[in-house]
Amino acid sequence: MNRTRRLRKTENIRRLVRENKLTIDDLIYPLFIEEGENIETEIVSMPGIKRFSLDTISKELDEVVALDIPAVLLFGIPSKKDEVGSETWNDDGIMQKAVRFIKKNYPGLYVITDVCFCEYTSHGHCGIIHDNDVDNDATLPNIAKQVISHAKAGVDMVAPSGMMDGMIATIREALDNTGFPNLPIMSYAVKYSSAFYGPFRDAADSAPTFGDRRTYQMDPSNRDEGMREATFDDQEGADILMVKPALSYLDIIRDLKNNFDRPIACYNVSGEYAMIKAAAAKGWIDEERVMMEALLSMKRAGADIIITYFAKDVAKILLKK
C-alpha cells in the first residue's frame, strides 16, 4: 500500500517536505499617498489601510522597514485633475515628491511606481478620451512622459497598469533614450476587468465617471488571451510579468510561470483583501490562517512576487516564527 501519510506525521517532517514557503522576500506593500498635509485617512472598505500625506507617512514607512519588507508600490492621489492626467508628468507632482522623499529618508527601500492615469484624470479612465473611449495611441506619448518623470525623481522600477497596447515598447524606448536603460519594468501584463477592484477605487479616488474599463482591461472569461498579452509584453521588454487579480486567476499565474523565463508577480487586490477582513470581523473565519493560505496558493501557483495589502501582517507572523 502507498502510505503518503508517513510524511505528514509530525510538524517537523511536514516542514522538511514542504514544497512552497511564503517569505517576507516575496512581498511588495502598496501605499496610497495623497497630496496635501496632515492626512491619515483610513479606507473604510479596506480595514487597516490608509491614505497618507508625505508629512504623516514616516511612521508607516518606519514599520515597513522594521519588518524588512523589501519594496513598496506607490499610488499617488493628486489635489487636481484634468482631462489628460497631466499631473502624472509634473516633476513636482505627488508621485515624484513621494519618490524623492522615500529615497532620501529610506534609501534601502525599493520604490516602485504605478504608471497610469485613472487617479489623475477628471473622468477616471486610464488615458485620453476620444469618442467616449480611451484612445490607445494618443495615450502612449503621455505614458512616456510619465515614466521619464518618475525616473528623474529616482524611482527604482516602474509598473505600467493601463493595459494600453504597445505601452511596454513605448516605455522601454523612452527610458533607454533618456539615460535610464537599467530601469526595470514590471508590467501589469495580464490585468482583468474585475469586480474585485471595488475597494481600491475608494482608496485611490479612481472610479470612472462614465462607462467601465472593459474595452482595455481583459474579459475574465479569457485564458488564452492572457498568454497573448504576456507574450507581447515579454517581447517588448518587460522585466517582470504580473497577473491581476490573483486569487481567482491562479490558473493564469501558472500559465505564465510555465511559459516565460521571467519573474512572475501577482496582485492580491483590494476586494480579495476586504473579503477576508470582513469575514474575519464577523468571526466566520480565522483571519490569519485564511490569509496565509490564500497567499500561499499564489506562491504555489507560481508567483515569485506578491503585491498585497497583507504584507505587514504576514511579515509580523513570519518574524514571530
Side-chain angles (χ1 to χ4, degrees):
M1 181 186 295
N2 292 317
R3 295 190 181 274
T4 54
R5 291 179 58 188
R6 293 185 189 118
L7 300 184
R8 301 175 195 152
K9 190 172 178 63
T10 67
E11 176 59 18
N12 280 348
I13 186 59
R14 291 193 294 271
R15 287 173 58 198
L16 284 170
V17 300
R18 193 159 286 150
E19 297 175 31
N20 295 280
K21 297 178 182 179
L22 191 64
T23 75
I24 297 173
D25 294 341
D26 302 325
L27 305 176
I28 296 174
Y29 185 51
L31 286 172
F32 298 99
I33 304 179
E34 185 171 359
E35 198 161 25
E37 295 179 352
N38 200 31
I39 298 168
E40 187 175 341
T41 306
E42 180 135 3
I43 299 156
V44 175
S45 55
M46 298 172 67
I49 305 300
K50 298 178 180 180
R51 289 187 187 186
F52 297 93
S53 51
L54 286 178
D55 60 344
T56 65
I57 201 170
S58 290
K59 183 179 178 182
E60 184 82 344
L61 290 168
D62 288 343
E63 187 175 15
V64 169
V65 170
L67 291 169
D68 201 28
I69 295 168
V72 291
L73 175 61
L74 305 185
F75 296 90
I77 303 162
S79 58
K80 58 183 179 180
K81 306 186 180 195
D82 60 28
E83 284 292 305
V84 298
S86 61
E87 277 295 297
T88 61
W89 63 82
N90 177 0
D91 289 342
D92 202 33
I94 183 57
M95 189 75 91
Q96 293 79 353
K97 288 179 179 176
V99 170
R100 289 193 293 268
F101 176 86
I102 296 172
K103 294 310 295 182
K104 177 182 177 181
N105 295 286
Y106 303 88
L109 192 58
Y110 197 82
V111 177
I112 308 165
T113 49
D114 179 77
V115 174
C116 198
F117 295 95
C118 57
E119 303 103 312
Y120 299 85
T121 54
S122 53
H123 45 73
H125 281 283
C126 301
I128 292 176
I129 298 296
H130 287 155
D131 298 324
N132 289 319
D133 195 10
V134 174
D135 186 322
N136 190 97
D137 294 3
T139 298
L140 293 178
N142 289 349
I143 293 176
K145 289 190 284 188
Q146 184 178 167
V147 296
I148 292 168
S149 184
H150 291 188
K152 290 192 297 184
V155 75
D156 295 303
M157 178 185 286
V158 292
S161 61
M163 288 296 286
M164 296 296 109
D165 294 336
M167 69 180 182
I168 301 303
T170 296
I171 291 169
R172 187 71 272 158
E173 181 179 13
L175 293 172
D176 290 353
N177 290 342
T178 52
F180 301 101
N182 296 318
L183 192 69
I185 301 168
M186 176 168 63
S187 174
Y188 288 66
V190 187
K191 181 179 179 181
Y192 287 88
S193 181
S194 173
F196 285 101
Y197 302 151
F200 175 91
R201 291 169 184 170
D202 296 335
D205 192 20
S206 63
T209 59
F210 69 89
D212 54 42
R213 297 183 175 133
R214 287 183 290 180
T215 66
Y216 45 102
Q217 295 178 359
M218 284 179 53
D219 187 332
S221 303
N222 295 352
R223 182 175 181 175
D224 293 343
E225 185 186 6
M227 286 293 297
R228 292 197 295 275
E229 288 280 4
T231 298
F232 295 145
D233 285 6
D234 177 63
Q235 293 170 346
E236 292 177 17
D239 298 282
I240 298 172
L241 301 172
M242 187 203 301
V243 175
K244 181 182 180 182
L247 195 56
S248 292
Y249 297 87
L250 300 178
D251 56 330
I252 312 302
I253 296 171
R254 175 44 60 181
D255 284 345
L256 266 60
K257 187 66 174 177
N258 287 345
N259 287 280
F260 295 95
D261 187 23
R262 294 191 184 277
I264 305 302
C266 68
Y267 200 138
N268 175 215
V269 299
S270 58
E272 297 166 353
Y273 173 88
M275 288 191 303
I276 292 175
K277 285 289 186 180
K282 288 285 190 179
W284 295 339
I285 60 172
D286 181 323
E287 180 178 338
E288 180 178 317
R289 289 186 63 192
V290 171
M291 171 186 71
M292 296 298 281
E293 185 176 336
L295 295 174
L296 185 61
S297 75
M298 300 165 201
K299 188 76 182 286
R300 188 186 65 241
D304 302 292
I305 298 165
I306 302 173
I307 303 161
T308 179
Y309 304 100
F310 286 120
K312 291 195 304 178
D313 296 338
V314 172
K316 290 172 186 176
I317 292 166
L318 294 176
L319 288 172
K320 189 185 300 183
K321 288 184 178 180

